[in-house]
Amino acid sequence: MSLLKAAIIGGGHIADDNHIPALKKLADQVEIIAVCGRDLSKARALADKHAIEHAFDSTEALYGSCQPDIILNCTPNNLHYDYTMQALKNGCHVFCEKPPAMTAAEAREMADLAKEKGKILAYNFQRRQSSEYLLLKKCYEEGQLGEVYHIKANYLRRRGIPGWGNFTNKTIQGGGALIDLGVHILDLALGIMDYQAPDKIVANIHDFIGKTGGKGLKGSWDAAKFDVEDGCFAYLSFPGNKSISLSCSFALNQKEEEIINLEVFGSKAGAVLNPFSLHTEVAGELADIRFPFLDETDTQLKNTTAFIDAILGKESNISTAEQGAVLQEIIEKIYLSATL
């Protein structure tokens, strides 16, 4: 089999720290041929760091000089749609950073074009590759939880507003804690709900700490320029009398520095994701079952592998274009409910 040729669009730390190292570990399947960024000197520096042949400062130059099979879209949120659509039109599979897009309409158009072109469009929700989540999914699919009717999904930071990048800029990011953190834990929860769409959403967003300022644990931020939410709390109701309560925050006056977890409640058993445990009855007695020997895993490598597997027609649990469209529609409805 000939190697798949991959090009990186967006030369920031996500490409440098996550995607390129994962692809290099799959060198028997993929060759990274180019880096494309708005600043040619930075793109060249990143390419040289990883022994990548080409560097470009425009996608026109990229597609004019190379014929990549794969585009890794590592651009800011507000550019996901443009570069993904361009890549699909140039006949490329696309592995896009989260969130899928800025609007539900964009995510749907991206999914429709990928289907029309017969290309794989996937999103980098790598947390679904953890050993804990894979075991949770297996327990769910084997019926050990029974009917799952409620999930508590939390991604909460005490004072974790990023003091770098564009995380507090709504024009570039599209939102704050929900769009950056909440999407990860919501993706996991939806995976246990078979990725169906909710029929009711009630939500609130807040920006008390972000706009006031204070001590930060991830650098300092400019409160005067903070225009996203620092907290989001939503209740999603699904057909069949099922629900998800979603809580996410950049900054929240809680005890813990950070909480990332799912609590799943089923008719036969419940489960907690981190650390993974089941809560049920055994021989007529209440029992807590723990799994102390789960392997640590490189979730980025596994997610990149899942993307390549999807391209090759193999079984894969990658976040699909259709799931991305469902997720983006839910995000949009959460923000709409909160503003109403």
Side-chain angles (χ1 to χ4, degrees):
M1 183 188 74
S2 58
L3 293 177
L4 293 166
K5 297 179 180 180
I8 311 287
I9 300 179
H13 74 91
I14 289 293
D16 190 12
D17 298 340
N18 289 39
H19 290 285
I20 293 175
L23 287 170
K24 290 174 75 172
K25 291 177 182 177
L26 299 173
D28 61 330
Q29 296 177 291
V30 185
E31 177 188 9
I32 310 173
I33 60 171
V35 174
C36 181
R38 288 174 290 183
D39 186 323
L40 183 57
S41 63
K42 291 182 179 179
R44 184 69 265 170
L46 182 61
D48 289 343
K49 177 181 178 180
H50 294 284
I52 298 168
E53 182 177 0
H54 300 289
F56 303 99
D57 61 2
S58 74
T59 52
E60 290 75 16
L62 166 64
Y63 294 118
S65 301
C66 303
Q67 294 182 323
D69 303 299
I70 296 168
I71 291 295
L72 287 90
N73 188 346
C74 303
T75 61
N77 297 353
N78 64 331
L79 299 178
H80 286 182
Y81 169 81
D82 290 339
Y83 286 118
T84 293
M85 293 294 285
Q86 185 184 46
L88 291 169
K89 290 174 182 177
N90 276 277
C92 300
H93 304 285
V94 182
F95 196 24
C96 184
E97 264 303 317
K98 58 81 188 171
M102 295 287 276
T103 69
E106 287 180 348
R108 172 52 59 193
E109 190 175 347
M110 292 155 70
D112 288 347
L113 183 59
K115 183 177 181 180
E116 176 188 325
K117 295 292 186 180
K119 297 299 178 181
I120 297 297
L121 167 59
Y123 299 102
N124 190 36
F125 288 105
Q126 68 268 43
R127 290 181 179 273
R128 59 168 62 191
Q129 305 297 346
S130 72
S131 296
E132 290 81 4
Y133 186 70
L134 292 173
L135 181 55
L136 172 61
K137 282 279 287 182
K138 187 174 183 180
C139 289
Y140 167 67
E141 291 166 356
E142 291 181 352
Q144 295 182 37
L145 302 177
E147 182 176 357
V148 172
Y149 52 86
H150 183 64
I151 300 175
K152 292 169 64 177
N154 296 330
Y155 198 141
L156 301 165
R157 290 178 182 169
R158 179 171 180 169
R159 290 295 174 94
I161 298 173
W164 66 92
N166 300 303
F167 293 96
T168 65
N169 185 317
K170 186 175 181 179
T171 301
I172 295 175
Q173 289 293 103
L178 173 61
I179 208 79
D180 187 50
L181 306 180
V183 289
H184 277 295
I185 205 72
L186 181 57
D187 171 65
L188 300 185
L190 289 171
I192 305 301
M193 290 289 189
D194 299 322
Y195 242 94
Q196 63 178 318
D199 49 18
K200 298 176 185 177
I201 295 177
V202 178
N204 295 95
I205 58 175
H206 307 280
D207 58 10
F208 294 114
I209 299 171
K211 284 191 176 299
T212 303
K215 184 175 179 62
L217 300 176
K218 293 185 179 293
S220 60
W221 72 95
D222 187 343
K225 295 182 179 179
F226 189 94
D227 66 354
V228 298
E229 79 283 355
D230 59 25
C232 176
F233 306 92
Y235 188 88
L236 287 60
S237 179
F238 295 82
N241 200 27
K242 301 178 181 181
S243 54
I244 294 174
S245 60
L246 171 68
S247 300
C248 50
S249 68
F250 275 157
L252 188 69
N253 287 321
Q254 65 181 19
K255 177 182 178 181
E256 298 85 358
E257 183 176 332
E258 186 171 70
I259 299 171
I260 308 173
N261 222 335
L262 286 183
E263 293 180 66
V264 180
F265 303 96
S267 58
K268 291 183 179 179
V272 174
L273 183 61
N274 295 315
F276 186 76
S277 59
L278 289 175
H279 308 282
T280 185
E281 294 182 27
V282 175
E285 296 294 336
L286 297 179
D288 297 330
I289 305 172
R290 293 177 172 82
F291 300 79
F293 304 109
L294 293 179
D295 293 332
E296 291 188 13
T297 186
D298 183 338
T299 56
Q300 183 60 70
L301 176 59
K302 289 192 70 172
N303 213 39
T304 303
T305 301
F307 172 61
I308 300 302
D309 285 346
I311 291 174
L312 298 177
K314 299 179 182 179
E315 184 177 350
S316 171
N317 68 336
I318 197 69
S319 174
T320 65
E322 180 60 31
Q323 289 175 348
V326 171
L327 180 66
Q328 194 70 48
E329 183 177 5
I330 294 172
I331 293 167
E332 191 167 286
K333 288 181 177 179
I334 289 174
Y335 280 129
L336 178 60
S337 174
T339 55
L340 292 176

